Amino acid sequence: MFYKKSRAKVGKAYKWFPRAYVLKHPVDTQQLGETISQRCTVSPADVHAVLRALPEVMAEYMDAGRSIHMDGIGAFHYKLSCAGQGVDSPEEVSPRQVKAVRVQFIPARKKGVAGYERALVKNKSLVEFGVDKDKK
């Protein structure tokens, strides 16, 4: 995992922090499908078809009020954003207050030796982006 040095204002002073850095070109569905197919007995075309269908199927279940839990990945559910549009009584609550519907993702976790570990983020080592290790 890469990081870059980033400066942010904390109170009245500026402080330096590591900030996660993501490379410019994301892995697309095609590349993801090909890599998955190399690790199992399914063809790249079959994996690609499943990955293409996944968002639509997830939306159907979430539209029906269900959350989605994917083993080893995490859980997804809808979250409503009302952006400060609160009302004074329960009788006044209405869908007109909703400014956006978002998908909330919560990474899976499992109990490890040192407490709970989050899926997708366990055992990560940080490397400063753009710095040659041999020059340090």
Side-chain angles (χ1 to χ4, degrees), residues 17-31:
F17 298 92
R19 177 180 51 95
Y21 182 77
V22 178
L23 300 175
K24 291 181 182 180
H25 301 289
V27 174
D28 63 11
T29 305
Q30 184 71 29
Q31 187 176 356

Side-chain angles (χ1 to χ4, degrees), residues 88-108:
D88 295 326
S89 69
E91 294 77 27
E92 295 177 82
V93 173
S94 81
R96 290 187 307 261
Q97 293 171 265
V98 177
K99 297 300 175 195
V101 177
R102 304 190 193 298
V103 175
Q104 177 77 45
F105 169 68
I106 302 168

Side-chain angles (χ1 to χ4, degrees), residues 48-124:
H48 187 76
V50 170
L51 290 174
R52 287 280 189 206
L54 185 61
E56 185 176 311
V57 172
M58 289 175 68
E60 285 177 22
Y61 277 110
M62 291 192 302
D63 286 347
R66 307 281 303 271
S67 64
I68 306 291
H69 179 265
M70 298 178 74
D71 293 340
I73 295 178
F76 300 82
H77 66 270
Y78 285 139
K79 182 178 180 180
L80 303 179
S81 174
C82 296
Q85 301 295 320
V87 292
D88 295 326
S89 69
E91 294 77 27
E92 295 177 82
V93 173
S94 81
R96 290 187 307 261
Q97 293 171 265
V98 177
K99 297 300 175 195
V101 177
R102 304 190 193 298
V103 175
Q104 177 77 45
F105 169 68
I106 302 168
R109 65 182 194 155
K110 67 179 185 176
K111 192 159 178 88
V113 177
Y116 283 97
E117 298 173 340
R118 292 274 181 199
L120 308 177
V121 295
K122 64 181 178 182
N123 302 324
K124 297 294 173 246

Side-chain angles (χ1 to χ4, degrees), residues 34-51:
E34 289 172 7
T35 304
I36 291 171
S37 75
Q38 292 170 358
R39 296 184 185 191
C40 60
T41 60
V42 182
S43 73
D46 290 339
V47 174
H48 187 76
V50 170
L51 290 174

